[in-house]
């Protein structure tokens, strides 16, 4: 197996050493709540930048280059970043179920990389496992059928111990799958369907993107939506479909609208929910996705609605309401059929997310298979934490169904229905999921999607056999 001997600029020793000398991670959980309001937030009407919408591409015959580049975060000044095809976020890939993705990844970075298709059901060779990293100047050919249901997935680097840096420097993009079930719902489309990639960042004294990993998880000082600082989006008086991705290294967002209206949650990581849910505040952890409808029809022209993060107090995005009224309706009733994974037929496995670097007491070793899972058997996986939460737990190779949460927040949330591939474990929580690997056999990963925890070893290899 290929092994990364020298992990680029952040050696493991330096990373852990820096962690050991500080106690700041406890306060770095981002749970400042409403009290932390107005940090770095700009009032409505302040100078804002138009929201960047990445260009769209098909993943069939697609060339994806990860390289150093410069981007405009808003305001016209170019800032160095690490980008896919020159963009941050990278191009939005859109495909229909049944199509074939054929992507050539080229590594124009100065360190090894590999791209993972988070949420896509692919075999091991196409999964962007860190053992498949390619050095500078090399390429990797992906070739897989799209067997997912309609959903917002995403792509990002997955080299061992370098993922946090590569994502923080700008490498990530959306990957939307469509299918006939979704078509039938007649959801908002075209300009009324908008991807929102949420993350945070920090700047050095020259105003350039800066990544300083910290063991408790990187928390930036400024929010970015689709790579835009202080963004606004001009909207019609219409229903919008927002495809929202938790693209931060570690920050959890608590989304709400400034006028108090609820979001209509219609989907999450694995696609459509069974029925829509109206929710005033939605939490979004790294790796998670949300499919939200927002109805601006009752707003007067000229009004402004803010998308806020109640956890940091930030304003993430301003919607500026225009004069055009567009008819539409929010789907009611059944959106999709989600067949419950009925009663586990296999074992229950418990995974303890310990400290910041271990699962069940072990740090990740690329050459060790931590456990094997039988193909097509339903199992109960129990995620629990012994400290240093939150840990957004992510599983490759299958979607799962979240069935219970005890301790901590003590229950499940409407956006955790249906199919998920990432679930948030807050302090003192135990979360049970049911999972069945019925797409492919092979070697996959489970890890904390707080990228600094992942990079430090809070990750495991398992093989579906
Ligand atoms: Cu989004 Cu294994 O990662
Ligand atoms: Cu993944
Ligand atoms: Cu973690």
């Amino acid at each position: 197996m290929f092994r990364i001997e020298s992990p680029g600029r952040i050696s493991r020793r330096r990373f852990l050493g820096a962690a050991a000398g500080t106690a700041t991670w406890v306060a770095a959980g981002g749970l400042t709540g409403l009290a932390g309001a107005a940090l770095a937030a700009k009032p409505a009407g302040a100078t804002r930048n138009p929201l960047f919408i990445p260009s769209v591409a098909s993943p069939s015959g697609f060339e994806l280059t990860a390289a150093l580049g410069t981007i405009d975060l808003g305001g016209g000044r170019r800032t160095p970043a690490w980008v896919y095809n020159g963009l941050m976020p990278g191009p939005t890939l859109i495909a229909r179920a049944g199509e074939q993705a054929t992507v050539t990844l080229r590594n124009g970075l100065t360190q090894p990389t590999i791209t993972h298709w988070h949420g896509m059901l692919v075999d091991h060779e196409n999964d962007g496992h860190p053992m498949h990293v390619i050095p500078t100047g090399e390429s990797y050919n992906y070739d897989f059928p799209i067997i997912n249901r309609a959903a917002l997935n995403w792509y990002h680097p997955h080299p061992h111990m370098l993922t946090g840096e590569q994502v923080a420097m700008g490498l990530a993009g959306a990957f939307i799958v469509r299918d006939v079930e979704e078509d039938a719902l007649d959801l908002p489309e075209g300009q009324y369907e908008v991807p929102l990639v949420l993350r945070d960042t920090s700047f050095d004294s020259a105003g350039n993107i800066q990544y300083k990993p910290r063991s408790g998880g990187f928390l930036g000082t400024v929010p970015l939506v689709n790579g835009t600082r202080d963004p606004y989006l001009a909207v019609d008086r219409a229903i919008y479909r927002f495809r929202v991705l938790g693209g931060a290294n570690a920050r959890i967002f608590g989304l709400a609208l400034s006028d108090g209206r609820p979001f209509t949650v219609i989907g999450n990581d694995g696609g459509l929910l069974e029925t829509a849910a109206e929710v005033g505040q939605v939490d979004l952890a790294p790796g998670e996705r949300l499919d939200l409808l927002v109805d601006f029809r009752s707003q007067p022209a000229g009004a402004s609605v803010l998308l806020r993060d109640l956890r940091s107090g930030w304003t993430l995005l301003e919607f500026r309401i225009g004069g055009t009224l567009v008819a539409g309706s929010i789907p009611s009733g059944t959106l999709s059929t989600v067949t419950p994974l009925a009663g586990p037929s296999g074992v229950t496995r418990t995974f303890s997310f310990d400290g910041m670097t271990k699962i069940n007491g072990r740090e990740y070793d690329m050459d060790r298979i931590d456990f094997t899972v039988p193909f097509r058997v339903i199992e109960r996986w129990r995620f629990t934490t012994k400290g240093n939460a939150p840990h957004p737990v992510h599983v490759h190779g299958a979607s799962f169904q979240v069935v219970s949460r005890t301790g901590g927040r003590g229950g499940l949330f409407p956006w955790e229905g249906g199919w998920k591939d990432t679930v948030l474990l807050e302090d003192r929580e135990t979360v049970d999921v049911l999972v069945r690997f019925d797409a492919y056999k092979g070697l996959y990963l489970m890890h904390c999607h707080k990228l600094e925890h992942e990079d430090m070893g809070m990750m495991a290899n398992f093989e579906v056999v």
Side-chain angles (χ1 to χ4, degrees):
M1 282 184 188
F2 190 93
R3 186 173 259 287
I4 307 172
E5 292 299 340
S6 164
R9 305 192 327 190
I10 304 170
S11 74
R12 179 179 212 94
R13 172 168 302 156
R14 200 179 116 213
F15 198 178
L16 293 173
T22 174
T24 53
W25 61 267
V26 175
L31 291 166
T32 47
L34 283 163
L39 281 173
K42 283 209 176 178
T47 307
R48 287 188 162 271
N49 306 303
L51 179 72
F52 174 64
I53 309 285
S55 55
V56 162
S58 158
S60 300
F62 189 64
E63 306 243 335
L64 186 67
T65 301
L68 311 186
T70 64
I71 45 144
D72 176 7
L73 298 171
R77 196 176 78 86
R78 308 286 304 182
T79 305
W82 301 4
V83 287
Y84 283 121
N85 293 12
L87 305 178
M88 176 185 144
T92 299
L93 300 179
I94 303 187
R96 292 191 65 84
E99 291 178 356
Q100 189 78 10
T102 48
V103 180
T104 302
L105 169 70
R106 295 190 197 289
N107 183 2
L109 303 171
T110 56
Q111 54 179 235
T113 195
I114 191 71
T115 299
H116 167 58
W117 316 98
H118 181 135
M120 298 299 294
L121 297 168
V122 297
D123 64 4
H124 165 73
E125 297 295 319
N126 283 291
D127 197 41
H129 190 283
M131 69 166 57
H132 294 133
V133 287
I134 50 170
T136 304
E138 297 293 308
S139 59
Y140 193 94
N141 293 315
Y142 296 89
D143 188 352
F144 57 88
I146 292 171
I147 60 172
N148 287 66
R149 60 202 288 262
L152 168 63
N153 295 306
W154 62 303
Y155 60 96
H156 64 75
H158 219 305
H160 187 37
M161 295 189 276
L162 297 173
T163 298
E165 180 177 27
Q166 293 188 8
V167 172
M169 293 308 296
L171 292 166
F175 192 144
I176 293 173
V177 179
R178 307 206 182 282
D179 66 11
V180 290
E181 184 185 48
E182 179 193 66
D183 294 344
L185 293 173
D186 214 9
L187 296 166
E189 58 184 10
Q191 68 182 105
Y192 303 107
E193 183 190 24
V194 183
L196 299 177
V197 178
L198 307 185
R199 55 165 291 184
D200 53 353
T201 193
S202 286
F203 298 108
D204 64 15
S205 54
N208 295 327
I209 294 173
Q210 184 180 46
Y211 177 58
K212 279 193 180 166
R214 43 205 275 187
S215 55
F218 168 81
L219 289 179
T221 54
V222 172
L224 296 177
V225 183
N226 295 352
T228 309
R229 208 175 162 169
D230 300 316
Y232 76 90
L233 179 67
V235 296
D236 289 338
R237 297 171 62 211
I239 300 168
Y240 278 78
R241 182 182 188 194
F242 295 111
R243 314 300 301 270
V244 191
L245 163 64
N249 279 44
R251 180 177 295 277
I252 299 160
F253 295 99
L255 304 177
L257 293 167
S258 58
D259 63 349
R261 80 182 51 219
F263 301 106
T264 303
V265 186
I266 60 167
N268 57 7
D269 310 355
L272 293 165
L273 300 176
E274 279 212 289
T275 53
E278 304 262 292
V279 187
Q281 181 186 337
V282 188
D283 289 337
L284 181 69
E288 289 187 304
R289 285 89 74 202
L290 291 166
D291 197 343
L292 304 177
L293 298 182
V294 177
D295 188 351
F296 293 119
R297 288 175 303 171
S298 61
Q299 287 286 342
S304 157
V305 175
L306 305 177
L307 175 66
R308 312 206 69 218
D309 168 29
L310 298 183
R311 288 184 176 229
S312 63
W314 285 339
T315 292
L316 302 176
L317 174 62
E318 178 188 1
F319 301 108
R320 295 184 179 165
I321 319 288
T324 309
L325 180 64
V326 181
S329 61
I330 301 250
S332 56
T334 304
L335 299 171
S336 174
T337 306
V338 176
T339 309
L341 290 174
S345 45
V347 299
T348 296
R349 300 176 198 270
T350 300
F351 301 102
S352 165
F353 289 75
D354 308 330
M356 297 174 281
T357 61
K358 291 175 181 157
I359 299 173
N360 287 346
R362 297 209 283 196
E363 264 178 35
Y364 184 65
D365 177 343
M366 190 147 40
D367 297 327
R368 183 186 68 222
I369 294 173
D370 292 284
F371 58 103
T372 58
V373 182
F375 190 53
R376 292 192 173 137
V377 173
I378 300 168
E379 297 193 332
R380 179 180 293 262
W381 287 16
R382 178 164 294 162
F383 305 128
T384 187
T385 177
K386 286 191 194 150
N388 301 308
H391 304 293
V393 178
H394 171 52
V395 177
H396 291 216
S399 294
F400 51 72
Q401 294 177 351
V402 187
V403 294
S404 70
R405 174 182 284 109
T406 55
R409 292 169 294 163
L412 301 181
F413 298 92
W415 57 86
E416 295 180 313
W419 294 96
K420 296 273 292 167
D421 57 53
T422 306
V423 66
L424 180 59
L425 200 55
E426 293 256 38
D427 197 24
R428 294 184 305 279
E429 292 183 355
T430 296
V431 171
D432 280 14
V433 307
L434 297 178
V435 64
R436 179 178 58 202
F437 294 86
D438 50 14
Y440 298 100
K441 295 179 180 177
L443 186 67
Y444 290 105
L445 294 166
M446 172 183 62
H447 58 90
C448 179
H449 218 288
K450 183 181 279 184
L451 298 181
E452 290 70 34
H453 287 185
E454 172 184 339
D455 280 346
M456 290 190 297
M458 190 173 265
M459 182 153 76
N461 279 326
F462 62 92
E463 188 170 12
V464 178
V465 293

